[in-house]
Amino acid sequence: MGITKEPSYKSKISPEIMDRIQEAIRRIVLVEKRYKDKGLSAIQLANELDTNTRYISAVFSVRFHSTFNVYINRLRVEEAMSILTNKKYYEMRMQDISDMVGFRNRQSFYSAFEKFVKISPREFKNKFYEELNTGVKKAK
């Protein structure tokens, strides 16, 4: 196995610029909940922040320890889990939940959900309500 070298541009970005971009990403993605925007991309984010995608990628890698897509999809899955466990949305279709949290289609939603949670959204929902109704909480 060879040693993978970190791209040089990552070490050339000043901590101040990293801080500025990180805070702007937090504001846009978390506070404004733009992760729900189906069209959100690293390119769009870079344009909004008046920077480039290399800087965006570097900040996600160094500060968020993730890639843009993995980070956004994790937030979407967490939001979906919250919806799936809320009785108010019990009758909602999976496609509608997928749309609400920002996935472009149901297949992407299922794929991301299974990647992070290890079961499908439907299985997650069924398991949650089954445990809720029986009063049994199983240890992981």
Side-chain angles (χ1 to χ4, degrees):
M1 288 181 126
I3 297 173
T4 44
K5 188 177 177 190
E6 191 174 85
S8 63
Y9 65 86
K10 285 184 185 179
S11 61
K12 292 180 181 174
I13 303 172
S14 75
E16 295 79 21
I17 291 174
M18 282 257 191
D19 288 346
R20 182 183 61 78
I21 294 172
Q22 180 183 11
E23 285 309 308
I25 288 171
R26 280 196 175 126
R27 179 183 46 78
I28 289 170
V29 173
L30 296 173
V31 176
E32 296 176 12
K33 295 192 177 213
R34 291 278 301 286
Y35 61 88
K36 294 181 180 185
D37 178 355
K38 291 180 184 185
L40 185 64
S41 68
I43 294 170
Q44 180 186 19
L45 197 55
N47 288 339
E48 283 186 41
L49 300 178
D50 200 25
T51 188
N52 60 59
T53 55
R54 282 185 173 222
Y55 277 32
I56 295 294
S57 294
V59 171
F60 271 98
S61 176
V62 173
R63 297 292 177 88
F64 295 102
H65 309 289
S66 185
T67 65
F68 172 83
N69 288 329
V70 167
Y71 185 80
I72 296 301
N73 283 342
R74 183 176 290 119
L75 292 172
R76 289 172 175 166
V77 166
E78 288 171 1
E79 180 83 9
M81 290 169 69
S82 181
I83 292 168
L84 288 165
T85 57
N86 185 329
K87 288 182 182 180
K88 176 180 170 184
Y89 300 109
Y90 182 80
E91 297 293 327
M92 186 173 277
R93 296 174 332 139
M94 289 298 158
Q95 179 64 51
D96 296 332
I97 293 170
S98 171
D99 289 342
M100 274 179 73
V101 300
F103 285 100
R104 289 188 181 274
N105 56 59
R106 197 174 71 86
Q107 292 77 18
S108 297
F109 172 50
Y110 268 72
S111 177
F113 198 97
E114 289 177 357
K115 176 181 178 180
F116 294 113
V117 186
K118 308 297 184 220
I119 57 176
S120 75
R122 190 167 312 284
E123 289 173 290
F124 175 83
K125 177 183 175 182
N126 291 343
K127 184 177 178 183
F128 174 82
Y129 284 103
E130 179 183 307
E131 290 176 0
L132 186 68
N133 290 334
T134 61
V136 176
K137 294 291 179 190
K138 296 177 185 173
K140 288 186 177 182

